[in-house]
Amino acid sequence: MSTYEAELEKYETEPLLHTEERIDKYRPGGYHPVSIRDTFGNGRYTVYNKLGHGGSSTVWLALDGSMDEWVAIKILTAEKSQNSRELRSHKRLAKLPQESGLSRFFVQLRDHFFHQGPNGSHLCLVTELLGPRLPVVLEELRDKDTWLAPNIVLKVAQELLEAIEVLHRTGFTHGGMGNPRGVTIIYDVDLA
């Protein structure tokens, strides 16, 4: 068994804790159909598994062949791909100095490109691969009648507050903090 197959096995054995997106959203302007082993970015990224979906995108586990590492590819619907606020925010975050502390708290955009498919042109955002969302972890623990230790809860709360402070200090604000799906929207606020 290759190293990649051993790593991939971790993702294949995890239970799927989300429902699937609606099939009728695979239409012109909607989701891009993806199959396992499809390639993106001129063959650089090979898809190995689905990580999830939202109202305007699907997210896939992929291997970056040029960097030899696992990444996540978020493929936006064709409708949401034009004038993406998310891409604009990522670009602005990337321009901030390293000492701002943002890279410690927020997912890093590694690459982005457009992919032409049967439903239109789709913006693809390639990011570092992260772990499961906190609500998923909590649900798994609850199912096992286990809870996070108080020191871990305090550490998570402290890091969340530090992340919000860094956002505000660098001219961003947030929304969706109370959303049970764990979605946080970062808005770019022009302070000039």
Side-chain angles (χ1 to χ4, degrees), residues 56-147:
S56 60
S57 65
T58 55
V59 183
W60 301 87
L61 171 69
L63 182 65
D64 178 345
S66 70
M67 299 296 288
D68 200 29
E69 65 184 4
W70 294 106
V71 295
I73 300 180
K74 182 176 191 176
I75 304 174
L76 278 65
T77 62
E79 290 168 346
K80 296 292 184 177
S81 291
Q82 307 310 314
N83 300 315
S84 166
R85 180 185 296 183
E86 185 173 0
L87 179 58
R88 285 194 315 269
S89 291
H90 273 296
K91 285 181 174 181
R92 178 144 182 265
L93 288 169
K95 289 179 184 176
L96 294 172
Q98 287 295 96
E99 56 271 8
S100 69
L102 281 168
S103 62
R104 180 170 165 234
F105 298 109
F106 300 98
V107 66
Q108 302 298 297
L109 182 67
R110 301 273 176 92
D111 191 11
H112 70 282
F113 52 88
F114 280 88
H115 181 82
Q116 187 63 42
N119 295 329
S121 181
H122 301 266
L123 176 60
C124 300
L125 303 173
V126 180
T127 64
E128 59 191 319
L129 184 62
L130 303 176
R133 295 180 299 113
L134 185 58
V136 173
V137 172
L138 294 175
E139 185 174 324
E140 287 282 323
L141 290 172
R142 187 178 62 229
D143 289 347
K144 296 175 182 165
D145 201 28
T146 305
W147 300 99

Side-chain angles (χ1 to χ4, degrees), residues 14 143 158:
E14 300 245 348
D143 289 347
Q158 177 184 359

Side-chain angles (χ1 to χ4, degrees), residues 2 19 23 37 44 48 54 61 79 109 113 119 136 153 162:
S2 75
T19 59
I23 193 74
R37 303 281 180 178
R44 177 176 175 176
Y48 282 87
L61 171 69
E79 290 168 346
L109 182 67
F113 52 88
N119 295 329
V136 173
V153 173
E162 288 176 21

